[in-house]
């Protein structure tokens, strides 16, 4: 009997609680901005678990609110949050509408890469530069590599005349010093680092966030120079777009691109998915008429999707997956099997990557828990070879080439698993957001060419933990304290790296930032270490020293930022100074030639190196119609002891392929009229480019030389016109433009099959005229 009485009391209690919670105090309303309804806006009641989203018409409803005064919040990325207090009574229905104000361009933008948490750009102690899909389109940037050129302190260079692999340089440091993230995950492996920035179509990208310098230390051992976070397209409104693009490359080659995308929302706005696909085809391009290409034949097919599910406004599950197939072939006899060409490089990549995140928000979105995982898989078939000459009727090497051509395979798997807890605390000394997390990264690569007795069999494992305190001491002062500990299987000890950043608001529109951090790179093979080049009548490969140890860094940067927003325009500038010192720096020196005459470079530890300089950014926007952005960098990258890149020449302390000055400029004009126009320019100053001996061809050097390149400007422009047709919400846009207007392309390439394929500098393509059509 007692058990039944207890059970009855529990049932009665639950009924009473349930009835108490059903107040039937309800609200309904809509959310607008400039008279336009906004779908997908988060609406929630402070200090409760009551929340929802606006539907596809921009309307919402909330039921059973607590009686009494409530604070209702409307929150949407790109807009200022709005709060309204409302008195609720039992069994009453109340209308509540919101009008959201757009954030000033660039100032209120929410970024995630600087502090690993969502933060408005102007409130982040770490400078985060962004480039969105609209900017990529206006620049006619068909790949990520083409778009990153228009960021301060960044420079994209092509490093192989035959295969055209690219390298991103940040603040004067090479590509292996930068961490490329895909949706915040470290999935960009050394193999993907060679070609991935060109393989990933801009059609897949929602926006790109860039952190320069050591302020990115919390992302692990590869983030010495900075971080680039590629954020793939996220479902927005129900929409679609198709773009057809055709390019004529200096009247000698053509390229065609087909892009398509679609995003779909459920009526409840709780589920959404977006798809994107690209087909890109380019003919090989021969600039100097020697029968060997300077730009390889290219075929890329890519497909991807992003989806999310939000069971309620506090929980979110986000997933993405992408697949890329790429074929590239450079050299001569492009349509023949690779081993029948006099000299060629052939690559066939099958790439598959994706990730999944679970996010739980609480404490009015000030605190959160994130659990995430990601993967990347690459299978590559490749060929790098030269047909040997028959010398004095000795055809041994010639026959051997066809009996055992230098084909190879690459297998690469990357996986990552981690979590991050962000907890907001209100203290007597200000508001603090603490972030604690851990992540495990596993990278396994096997690359081999039996003919050259070449093999890389490398498995790296890194377990990293991090702690960060984001402390708003008062409205004008923010202090960011962070520390990361890594246990890497190629380093015996646990490596600890701190990060300190300060943001101080000198005036309302003027901010001062200061950052200090340390970092390291483990003694392993990176992207350029895996590339085999042609030089001196044979191939050139890199080996790792048996005594190679980790490289460490210390970085400091300071900047002053000024932005003046008004009703009609905003202008501003950022002046940034940076300094990085590398100890036990990784260097490459020519040590010998093997029995086949191939050049061997050894990667070993040097002493110290310093990279320092300053970057000036300027920006202006009028009525969101006319926009200007510019950046200019002056810098120096030097070793404290000479590096002998060639056995036949004296050592050099200056970094190779690193100009002391470079910059960019973009202008865009858009009004209510159907015409839009943009202009762009990239400037690169002089640099030192190694040129290894190339035999048996008139005009090629007979000895190693250090070439000083000239400076160059790469100017482009684009104009588009929206047809004034009303076709059931179908918009048709026609566009045309030109890249490298001055045809400022390298004019002293080596010729023939014995060319030095790494002797390449300047813009990635010659003068190119394009036109296209977009349906949306």
């Amino acid at each position: 009997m007692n058990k039944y009485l207890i059970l009855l009391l529990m049932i009665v209690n639950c009924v009473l609680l349930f009835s108490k919670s059903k107040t039937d105090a309800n609200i309904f309303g809509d959310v607008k901005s400039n008279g336009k309804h906004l779908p997908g806006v988060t609406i929630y009641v402070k200090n409760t678990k009551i929340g929802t989203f606006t539907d596809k018409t921009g309307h919402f409803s909330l039921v059973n609110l607590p009686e009494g005064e409530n604070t209702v919040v409307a929150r949407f990325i790109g807009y200022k949050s709005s709060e309204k207090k409302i008195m609720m009574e039992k069994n009453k229905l109340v209308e509540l509408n919101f009008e959201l104000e757009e954030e000033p361009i660039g100032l209120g933008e929410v970024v995630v890469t600087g502090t690993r948490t969502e933060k408005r750009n102007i409130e982040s102690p770490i400078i985060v530069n962004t480039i969105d899909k609209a900017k990529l389109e206006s620049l006619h940037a068909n790949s990520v590599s083409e778009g990153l050129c228009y960021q301060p302190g960044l420079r994209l260079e092509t490093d192989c005349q035959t295969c055209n692999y690219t390298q991103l340089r940040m603040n004067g440091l090479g590509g292996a010093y930068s961490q490329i993230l895909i949706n915040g995950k470290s999935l960009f492996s050394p193999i993907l680092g060679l070609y991935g920035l060109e393989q990933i179509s801009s059609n897949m990208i929602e926006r790109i966030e860039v952190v320069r310098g050591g302020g990115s230390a919390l992302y692990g051992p590869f983030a010495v120079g900075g971080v680039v976070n590629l954020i793939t397209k996220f479902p927005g409104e129900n929409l679609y777009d198709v773009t057809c693009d055709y390019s004529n490359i200096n009247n000698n080659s053509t390229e065609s691109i087909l892009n398509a995308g679609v995003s779909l929302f459920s009526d409840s706005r709780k589920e959404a998915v977006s798809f994107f696909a690209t087909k890109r085809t380019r003919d090989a391009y021969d600039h100097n008429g020697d029968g060997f290409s300077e730009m390889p034949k290219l075929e890329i097919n890519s497909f991807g999707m992003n989806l999310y599910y939000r069971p309620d406004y506090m929980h979110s599950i986000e997933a993405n997956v992408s697949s890329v197939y790429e074929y590239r072939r450079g050299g001569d006899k492009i349509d023949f099997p690779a081993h029948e060409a006099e000299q060629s490089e052939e690559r066939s990549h099958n790439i598959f990557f994706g990730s999944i995140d679970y996010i739980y928000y609480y404490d009015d979105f000030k605190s959160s828990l994130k659990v995430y995982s990601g993967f990347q898989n690459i299978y590559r078939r490749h060929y790098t070879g030269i047909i040997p000459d028959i010398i004095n009727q000795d055809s041994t090497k010639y026959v051997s080439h066809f009996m055992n051509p230098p084909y190879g395979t690459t297998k690469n798997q990357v996986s990552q698993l981690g979590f991050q807890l962000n907890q907001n605390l209100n203290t007597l000394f200000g508001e603090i957001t603490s972030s604690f997390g851990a992540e495990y990264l596993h990278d396994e690569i096997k690359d081999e060419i039996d003919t050259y007795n070449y093999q890389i069999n490398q498995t790296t494992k890194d377990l990293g933990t991090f702690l960060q305190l984001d402390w708003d001491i008062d409205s004008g002062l923010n202090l960011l304290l962070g520390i990361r500990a890594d246990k890497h299987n190629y380093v015996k000890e646990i490596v600890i790296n701190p990060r300190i950043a300060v943001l101080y608001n000198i005036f309302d529109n003027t901010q001062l930032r200061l950052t200090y951090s340390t970092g390291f790179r483990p003694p392993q093979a990176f992207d350029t270490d895996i590339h085999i080049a042609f030089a001196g009548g044979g191939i050139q490969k890199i080996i790792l020293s048996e005594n190679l140890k980790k490289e460490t860094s210390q970085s400091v940067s300071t900047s002053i930022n000024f932005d003046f927003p008004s009703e009609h325009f905003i202008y501003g500038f950022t002046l940034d100074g940076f300094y990085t010192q590398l100890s036990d720096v990784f260097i490459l020196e020519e040590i010998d030639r093997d029995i086949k005459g191939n050049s061997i470079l050894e990667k070993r530890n040097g002493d110290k190196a310093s990279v320092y300089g300053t970057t000036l950014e300027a920006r202006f926007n009028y009525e969101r119609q006319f926009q200007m952005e510019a950046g200019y960098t002056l810098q120096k990258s030097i070793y404290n002891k000479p590096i002998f890149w060639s056995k036949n020449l004296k050592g050099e302390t200056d970094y190779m392929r690193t100009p002391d000055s470079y910059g960019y400029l973009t202008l865009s004009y858009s009004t209510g009229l159907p015409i839009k126009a943009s202009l762009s320019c990239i400037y690169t100053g002089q640099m030192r480019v190694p040129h290894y001996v190339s035999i048996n061809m008139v005009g090629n050097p007979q000895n190693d030389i250090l070439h000083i390149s000239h400076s160059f400007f790469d100017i482009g422009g684009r104009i588009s016109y929206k047809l004034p047709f009303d076709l059931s919400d179908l918009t048709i846009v026609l566009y045309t433009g030109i890249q490298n207007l001055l045809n400022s392309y390298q004019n002293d390439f080596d010729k023939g099959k014995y060319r030095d394929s790494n002797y390449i500098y300047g813009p990635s393509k010659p003068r190119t005229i394009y036109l296209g059509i977009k349906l949306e």
Side-chain angles (χ1 to χ4, degrees):
M1 181 66 68
N2 290 335
K3 292 181 180 178
Y4 288 120
L5 286 174
I6 292 173
L7 179 60
L8 180 61
L9 288 173
M10 291 176 64
I11 294 173
V12 171
N13 188 50
C14 290
V15 171
L16 289 174
L17 286 173
F18 181 73
S19 61
K20 182 179 179 181
S21 64
K22 286 198 64 172
T23 63
D24 206 24
N26 306 330
I27 64 172
F28 73 96
D30 64 13
V31 181
K32 295 180 180 179
S33 179
N34 296 321
K36 180 182 177 182
H37 281 100
L38 297 177
V41 179
T42 300
I43 308 293
Y44 67 95
V45 181
K46 266 192 171 183
N47 302 316
T48 73
K49 293 185 178 182
I50 300 173
T52 188
F53 313 101
T54 56
D55 61 20
K56 62 183 180 181
T57 67
H59 292 79
F60 71 94
S61 64
L62 294 172
V63 298
N64 294 319
L65 274 68
E67 294 180 68
E69 186 178 76
N70 290 269
T71 301
V72 184
V73 181
R75 182 177 182 267
F76 199 42
I77 292 178
Y79 296 79
K80 294 181 179 179
S81 295
S82 177
E83 296 185 4
K84 289 189 176 182
K85 294 185 183 298
I86 185 170
M87 290 296 299
M88 299 302 299
E89 298 179 16
K90 191 173 182 177
N91 300 323
K92 270 204 169 185
L93 179 65
V94 179
E95 181 177 0
L96 182 66
N97 298 319
F98 289 91
E99 179 75 23
L100 296 188
E101 180 184 352
E102 286 189 82
E103 293 275 13
I105 294 177
L107 295 186
E109 187 174 21
V110 176
V111 294
V112 297
T113 310
T115 62
R116 296 187 71 132
T117 58
E118 292 183 359
K119 203 171 182 74
R120 295 174 71 224
N121 215 345
I122 58 172
E123 297 171 354
S124 173
I126 306 295
I127 292 180
V128 181
N129 294 100
T130 62
I131 181 169
D132 61 18
K133 57 185 178 182
K135 184 68 175 291
L136 292 171
E137 180 179 304
S138 71
L139 296 169
H140 196 250
N142 294 314
S143 65
V144 170
S145 62
E146 294 181 60
L148 286 175
C149 300
Y150 300 95
Q151 286 288 289
L154 270 62
R155 194 174 67 83
L156 259 292
E157 64 182 30
T158 302
D159 281 352
C160 180
Q161 184 183 2
T162 308
C163 74
N164 274 197
Y165 85 85
T166 58
Q167 184 176 178
L168 171 66
R169 292 184 179 269
M170 301 181 70
N171 284 354
L173 290 169
Y177 289 89
S178 303
Q179 177 71 69
I180 310 296
L181 307 174
I182 302 177
N183 294 314
K185 319 299 184 302
S186 302
L187 304 179
F188 230 75
S189 68
I191 284 294
L192 202 55
L194 286 171
Y195 307 103
L197 292 177
E198 185 175 14
Q199 291 166 337
I200 296 180
S201 167
S202 59
N203 183 49
M204 300 170 66
I205 301 300
E206 180 71 23
R207 73 180 187 276
I208 302 172
E209 296 184 0
V210 179
V211 176
R212 304 192 312 273
S216 55
L218 286 191
Y219 284 97
F222 310 111
V224 173
V227 164
V228 174
N229 191 6
L230 310 178
I231 300 172
T232 55
K233 278 187 176 177
F234 197 74
E237 302 180 38
N238 288 330
L239 52 82
Y240 69 91
D241 63 85
V242 178
T243 303
C244 298
D245 188 281
Y246 172 83
S247 297
N248 180 293
I249 305 173
N250 209 25
N251 293 321
N252 196 2
S253 180
T254 61
E255 180 176 49
S256 60
I257 299 174
L258 174 64
N259 290 321
V262 61
S263 66
L264 302 169
F265 263 105
S266 66
D267 290 342
S268 67
R269 313 299 290 183
K270 290 184 177 182
E271 304 90 8
V273 62
S274 63
F275 299 93
F276 38 86
T278 295
K279 181 176 178 58
R280 179 182 179 187
T281 304
R282 185 180 72 196
D283 297 328
Y285 172 76
D286 176 14
H287 187 68
N288 55 14
D290 66 342
F292 294 80
S293 66
E294 274 65 57
M295 296 173 62
K297 178 181 179 179
L298 201 62
E299 295 177 5
I300 299 178
N301 296 317
S302 60
F303 173 81
M305 61 180 291
N306 275 354
L307 58 90
Y308 77 74
Y309 171 61
R310 298 189 291 191
D312 56 49
Y313 81 101
M314 295 186 299
H315 297 80
S316 174
I317 299 174
E318 302 173 7
N320 66 86
V321 64
S322 298
S323 175
V324 179
Y325 168 78
E326 187 217 49
Y327 173 82
R328 65 174 61 213
R329 168 72 187 279
D332 68 320
K333 299 181 180 178
I334 297 297
D335 297 323
F336 285 72
H339 68 278
E340 294 183 14
E342 293 294 318
Q343 182 247 52
S344 73
E345 290 190 55
E346 183 182 61
R347 308 283 186 263
S348 177
H349 292 86
N350 287 280
I351 305 167
F352 190 54
F353 60 86
S355 63
I356 184 167
D357 300 350
Y358 165 74
I359 308 173
Y360 168 57
Y361 296 99
Y362 58 100
D363 191 19
D364 293 332
F365 286 91
K366 295 179 180 179
S367 302
S368 63
L369 170 65
K370 180 177 181 180
V371 181
Y372 56 91
S373 65
F375 68 91
Q376 172 237 282
N377 183 80
I378 297 177
Y379 178 74
R380 179 179 76 161
R381 290 181 55 83
H382 55 91
Y383 171 90
T384 303
I386 301 175
I387 295 181
D389 292 330
I390 299 176
I391 302 175
N392 298 326
Q393 297 184 340
D394 182 0
S395 61
T396 304
K397 293 182 178 180
Y398 180 86
V399 173
S400 176
H401 170 83
F402 286 93
M403 293 293 291
N404 187 23
Y407 285 96
T409 60
T410 306
K411 296 179 180 178
N412 179 216
Q413 296 87 33
V414 178
S415 58
Q416 187 178 32
L417 179 66
F419 79 91
Q420 180 173 330
L421 175 65
N422 305 309
Q423 180 64 55
N424 182 263
L425 302 170
N426 284 306
T427 72
L428 295 175
F429 307 101
E431 187 174 1
I432 298 176
T433 299
S434 65
S435 300
F436 171 74
E439 55 190 12
Y440 175 73
L441 181 66
H442 181 101
D443 187 344
E444 185 174 346
I445 180 171
K446 186 175 183 180
D447 186 28
E448 56 186 0
I449 305 176
D450 292 337
T451 305
Y452 295 144
N453 193 28
Y454 168 83
Q455 184 180 77
I456 290 181
N457 194 349
Q458 176 178 276
T459 300
T460 61
K461 305 172 186 178
D462 184 79
L463 176 61
T465 59
F466 56 87
L467 174 65
Q468 176 179 269
L469 299 178
D470 189 350
W471 183 9
D472 288 323
I473 299 175
D474 58 37
S475 60
L477 182 62
N478 175 272
L479 178 63
L480 190 70
L481 303 173
I483 189 168
R484 179 176 173 120
D486 285 273
K487 182 61 185 78
H488 194 283
N489 63 315
Y490 279 25
V491 181
K492 292 181 180 180
E493 69 276 9
I494 296 176
V495 183
I496 303 209
N497 291 298
R499 176 175 78 169
I500 302 172
V502 179
L503 168 64
Y504 177 61
N505 292 317
I506 304 175
F507 306 109
D508 288 342
N509 301 317
T510 308
Q511 300 170 309
L512 178 68
R513 289 177 172 89
L514 179 66
T515 303
Y516 169 81
S517 67
T518 65
F520 83 103
R521 291 203 302 156
Q524 67 177 76
F526 294 95
D527 41 18
T528 54
D529 304 328
I530 301 173
H531 179 257
I532 295 178
F534 297 108
I539 65 166
Q540 185 181 72
K541 60 183 180 180
I542 296 171
I543 63 172
L544 305 185
S545 169
E546 293 182 357
N547 301 316
L548 194 65
K549 58 184 180 181
K550 75 175 186 292
E551 177 186 43
T552 60
S553 67
Q554 294 189 74
S555 299
V556 63
S557 64
T558 183
S559 67
I560 186 167
N561 185 90
F562 172 81
D563 283 291
F564 183 81
S566 69
E567 182 180 356
H568 299 289
F569 62 86
I570 178 174
Y571 65 89
F573 70 87
T574 300
L575 181 63
D576 175 37
F578 57 89
Y579 176 84
T580 297
Q581 183 180 80
L582 304 172
S583 299
D584 297 318
V585 59
F586 293 155
I587 62 173
L588 288 178
E589 292 187 324
E590 187 176 38
I591 59 171
D592 207 348
R593 291 183 177 268
D594 62 20
I595 58 175
K596 295 183 179 181
N598 297 318
S599 173
I600 299 176
L601 300 177
E602 184 180 63
K603 180 177 177 177
R604 58 176 66 155
N605 291 106
D607 188 26
K608 294 180 183 295
S610 299
V611 178
Y612 54 90
T614 183
T615 295
L616 176 63
E617 304 171 49
R619 48 199 168 268
F620 176 80
N621 188 294
Y622 176 74
E623 291 280 7
R624 298 180 182 266
Q625 296 178 3
F626 176 78
Q627 185 170 342
M628 182 276 293
E629 293 181 5
Y632 182 72
T633 300
L634 285 171
Q635 62 120 96
K636 193 72 175 176
S637 303
I638 56 174
Y639 300 99
N640 71 329
K641 293 181 180 179
I643 305 302
F644 295 87
W645 62 273
S646 169
K647 291 181 64 178
N648 303 320
L649 296 175
K650 68 177 184 177
E652 296 284 339
T653 57
D654 288 292
Y655 273 40
M656 299 295 103
R657 314 180 69 88
T658 305
D660 292 342
S661 61
Y662 48 94
Y664 76 97
L665 170 69
T666 63
L667 301 170
S668 62
Y669 179 72
S670 172
T671 66
L673 299 175
I675 296 177
K676 294 182 180 180
S678 62
L679 182 69
S680 62
C681 176
I682 298 173
Y683 166 75
T684 304
Q686 294 181 334
M687 69 181 105
R688 294 165 174 79
V689 184
H691 196 176
Y692 290 92
V693 57
S694 299
I695 61 176
N696 298 342
M697 181 63 72
V698 176
N700 291 350
Q702 301 304 304
N703 296 290
D704 296 344
I705 60 174
L706 184 62
H707 177 74
I708 308 298
S709 72
H710 59 83
S711 58
F712 53 84
F713 290 90
D714 182 355
I715 300 173
R718 183 181 190 271
I719 187 168
S720 65
Y721 177 73
K722 182 171 71 173
L723 297 181
F725 299 149
D726 184 11
L727 300 175
S728 301
D729 296 326
L730 173 65
T731 299
I732 302 176
V733 178
L734 304 178
Y735 64 87
T736 186
I738 188 168
Q739 295 172 307
N740 200 353
L741 173 66
L742 303 179
N743 209 15
S744 181
Y745 196 61
Q746 184 177 343
N747 58 11
D748 64 341
F749 286 110
D750 279 356
K751 296 183 177 181
K753 71 178 184 180
Y754 292 118
R755 63 189 184 179
D756 174 7
S757 64
N758 277 356
Y759 180 63
I760 181 172
Y761 58 89
S764 60
K765 63 176 68 174
R767 182 186 294 123
T768 299
I769 298 174
Y770 61 87
L771 56 89
I773 181 172
K774 182 177 182 179
L775 310 178
E776 58 183 352

